[in-house]
Structures are given as C-alpha cells and as structure tokens.
Amino acid sequence: MASILRPGNDGVFEAAIDEYRNTWIKPARPAFDTCLRNAEREYARWMTGVPAAPKALEPTRDLALYVNGASVLAPSGFLKRRTMMMSKVEMCNVFGWDHAFNAMAHARHDPDLAWDQFMVMADYQDKYGVCPTNMNDQSCAFGIINPPVTPAKRS
C-alpha cells in the first residue's frame, strides 16, 4: 500500500510504520514524545559499556555500534534468540562463522546478546554436530559444512 504524507499547516506530521508477518492488528501506541524518550533510553542502554576509543575515532565507533544495534532482530520464526544479522540489506542472515565474531564484538557491553550470538546456530545443530550454514527468521539452510568456531552443544 502506498500513501502520500503531507505535513499539517505547522509543517509537522507523525507517521507510524508497522511491520507484520501476515495479519495487521492495530497496535496501541504511546504518544510520539513517549516513543522518542523510550528510544533514547534504549539507545543509551545499548551504548553502555562500549570500548573506549580515541576521541577522533568515537564517531566511527558510535556509527558502527548503531549499525550493529539496528541489525539485531527479536526472536521470531527460526530465530529463537535475539540475533544479529550481518546486514539487513544483502546479507540478511546469520552465518555459521560470522555469528561468533558478532558475539565477540558485543561481549563487553551486552553479554546476553553475545551469548545469544554464540548459541543461535547451536539451536539447530544436528545429531552429528553440524550447525546451519545460515539462517534467518524464515529459513534455516545446511548447504555448506564449515569447521566449528564455537563449542558443540551438549546433549
């Protein structure tokens, strides 16, 4: 569905974009200012405990952390944990090696997210120890067998 959004006489408008899998149910929404404050608090929490960087590199570090944070999906479909995609554009999957690197990147400031990245592939490890090649919320593929970079899940 396409819509044309036009601001009011004061030059301002508010819009909400809802993402849904198959049936849209109108959500209860707080006021814009409340949403803004919640987003600011969530982002401040995300930035807690990030590694120090030289002053000149802080903008680059902060941009990288923003991109990483924007690539984390809530559990849905095949993803049983919060999962960081490699990109939400061309590489909208978690991959059999990259998930471990994402875990290392977030171990200091979000250990729970780091643990989820380590274990996300183990959720689908088969009885022979093979983990998926890649997966996202809608698919789980076993196309290539890579050497393990994380410990095997114990039964």
Side-chain angles (χ1 to χ4, degrees):
M1 181 172 113
S3 295
I4 297 174
L5 302 175
R6 292 190 177 91
N9 292 336
D10 60 357
V12 176
F13 71 89
E14 290 183 21
I17 299 173
D18 296 323
E19 184 178 3
Y20 58 94
R21 191 174 292 275
N22 50 21
T23 302
W24 181 74
I25 299 170
K26 185 176 181 176
R29 287 194 182 86
F32 177 80
D33 291 340
T34 302
C35 291
L36 180 60
R37 283 191 303 277
N38 290 344
E40 288 170 342
R41 275 195 299 272
E42 185 178 329
Y43 189 69
R45 220 176 6 258
W46 172 252
M47 295 298 286
T48 300
V50 299
K55 193 76 166 156
L57 296 178
E58 284 179 357
T60 303
R61 176 206 58 195
D62 294 350
L63 179 58
L65 281 162
Y66 171 79
V67 169
N68 282 350
S71 296
V72 176
L73 302 180
S76 176
F78 282 100
L79 304 176
K80 296 179 181 180
R81 306 163 185 272
R82 285 189 311 154
T83 303
M84 186 176 162
M85 300 287 102
M86 294 314 298
S87 157
K88 286 188 179 175
V89 183
E90 297 293 325
M91 296 177 68
C92 52
N93 289 296
V94 59
F95 291 89
W97 274 38
D98 300 338
H99 70 102
F101 302 128
N102 290 339
M104 290 186 290
H106 299 290
R108 174 186 268 175
H109 82 103
D110 194 338
D112 292 334
L113 176 64
W115 178 252
D116 284 345
Q117 299 328 287
F118 258 130
M119 298 307 295
V120 67
M121 299 308 241
D123 289 337
Y124 291 96
Q125 186 177 33
D126 73 13
K127 67 182 180 179
Y128 303 105
V130 177
C131 289
T133 303
N134 62 63
M135 67 180 177
N136 57 46
D137 61 329
Q138 297 181 25
S139 68
C140 181
F142 287 84
I144 300 170
I145 299 172
N146 290 316
V149 292
T150 58
K153 185 177 178 182
R154 302 213 192 280
S155 45

